[in-house]
Amino acid sequence: MNYDIYLYIAYITSRLISGKRIATLYDYSQSGYIHLSNFSDIGFLKDFDEKHKDYVPGYATGCRYQYSFDSGQSIELSINGSSFIGHIRGTSSYFLGNIRGDSIYIYNHNESEHFNYRISAHVVEHEGESIVCHNCCFLK
């Protein structure tokens, strides 16, 4: 199993539920920071951001989505409020999770694995520039 897919799930659900474009996640299982710009599916993330650049947070409630990554994996995703459930196509892996503030919780039912992340930095637009924000100073 490619565990990077859970990073992408965290990214997608965060964007669709909270509207945040994640730059850096803190991974509790690895006790370290993950910079999403270092991943092979960065092309997918850029395309995803472009398609959702005018997205209004919360609109995804009750919607179903399907996303295919550059790596060839794809997910089916359904969102209800701040909770989500999904399936990694081509596997028996089903996952569910939720977002509370800057925390993202994902549980893989088939493997009985938990993935817990915290958004430690996200991208904001400020005066026409994309800036990585660590403390939301531009949102106040």
Side-chain angles (χ1 to χ4, degrees), residues 27-136:
D27 183 345
Y28 288 99
S29 68
Q30 303 284 327
S31 297
Y33 293 93
I34 300 167
H35 302 281
L36 291 175
S37 61
N38 296 337
F39 283 86
S40 61
D41 276 319
I42 194 68
F44 166 79
L45 298 178
K46 287 181 181 179
D47 289 344
F48 181 82
D49 280 337
E50 183 61 28
K51 290 177 187 169
H52 293 86
K53 68 181 176 185
D54 297 322
Y55 180 76
V56 176
Y59 179 72
T61 294
C63 294
R64 297 183 58 88
Y65 298 92
Q66 181 174 327
Y67 295 104
S68 296
F69 304 104
D70 297 343
S71 62
Q73 289 184 299
S74 64
I75 62 167
E76 297 167 343
L77 182 65
S78 181
I79 296 175
N80 185 9
S82 62
S83 298
F84 54 91
I85 188 167
H87 174 245
I88 301 171
R89 295 190 74 201
T91 72
S92 59
S93 293
Y94 286 86
F95 59 88
L96 54 95
N98 63 51
I99 295 179
R100 288 186 221 137
D102 283 345
S103 296
I104 304 166
Y105 306 96
I106 303 171
Y107 177 70
N108 176 324
H109 190 271
N110 189 54
E111 304 291 328
S112 298
E113 292 181 291
H114 294 269
F115 300 89
N116 299 315
Y117 305 103
R118 181 178 48 83
I119 302 170
S120 57
H122 62 276
V123 178
V124 294
E125 296 297 322
H126 180 68
E127 297 179 357
E129 291 185 49
S130 295
I131 299 171
V132 175
C133 183
H134 297 274
N135 62 6
C136 300

